[in-house]
Amino acid sequence: FGDRQKSEKQLLTLNRLCVAGIAIMAFIATFFLPPAMLTYLGIFSSGTLMASLFGVLLVSIVYKGSPIGAIVSIILGAVCSSTLLTLNLVGWVEGPLLGALVSTVSYILVSFCTQEVPAVILNKSGTIT
């Protein structure tokens, strides 16, 4: 905040204070929110996390994708799952599963489209051009 530059130590302290403040607010909110709200929040957060990371973590075991493909799949999986759950378009099981499917497909497609072209290209006779 302001025009002057912050040091790494100041930024780390600010980051820790923000995380502590959010944790305290969440802890206090658990006493006032209804149990159904806490259950929905748990389903929403864990389902969206699973949907966003499914493509990157599990598919990368068998297919080496690109970093751009990983970022796009995380964003699309999270957006798809959270949108489906927030708008109640599908149930709490189907939303994260569809988000995981979107994450997986987008990881493979974007990684395929953003592959690096080899520097050495062979012509038809097998010699390097």
Side-chain angles (χ1 to χ4, degrees):
F1 313 127
D3 292 336
R4 48 176 220 164
Q5 293 288 339
K6 303 284 186 206
S7 69
E8 289 290 324
K9 187 174 181 179
Q10 289 173 324
L11 290 174
L12 182 62
T13 303
L14 179 64
N15 185 9
R16 288 179 177 168
L17 288 173
C18 289
V19 169
I22 292 171
I24 290 169
M25 288 188 302
F27 180 72
I28 292 170
T30 59
F31 295 110
F32 301 104
L33 294 175
M37 175 75 80
L38 296 174
T39 303
Y40 184 75
L41 184 62
I43 291 169
F44 182 81
S45 60
S46 62
T48 302
L49 179 67
M50 184 271 302
S52 63
L53 296 178
F54 184 83
V56 177
L57 294 178
L58 292 180
V59 176
S60 64
I61 295 171
V62 294
Y63 177 73
K64 174 133 173 61
S66 68
I68 296 172
I71 292 169
V72 169
S73 76
I74 288 171
I75 292 170
L76 288 179
V79 167
C80 178
S81 175
S82 61
T83 302
L84 291 173
L85 288 172
T86 303
L87 299 178
N88 288 326
L89 298 175
V90 294
W92 61 273
V93 173
E94 294 88 359
L97 290 177
L98 290 172
L101 178 66
V102 168
S103 175
T104 302
V105 170
S106 64
Y107 179 62
I108 293 169
L109 288 178
V110 173
S111 293
F112 182 75
C113 292
T114 58
Q115 286 179 350
E116 292 183 16
V117 178
V120 177
I121 299 174
L122 298 178
N123 62 15
K124 291 182 181 180
S125 66
T127 60
I128 299 174
T129 56

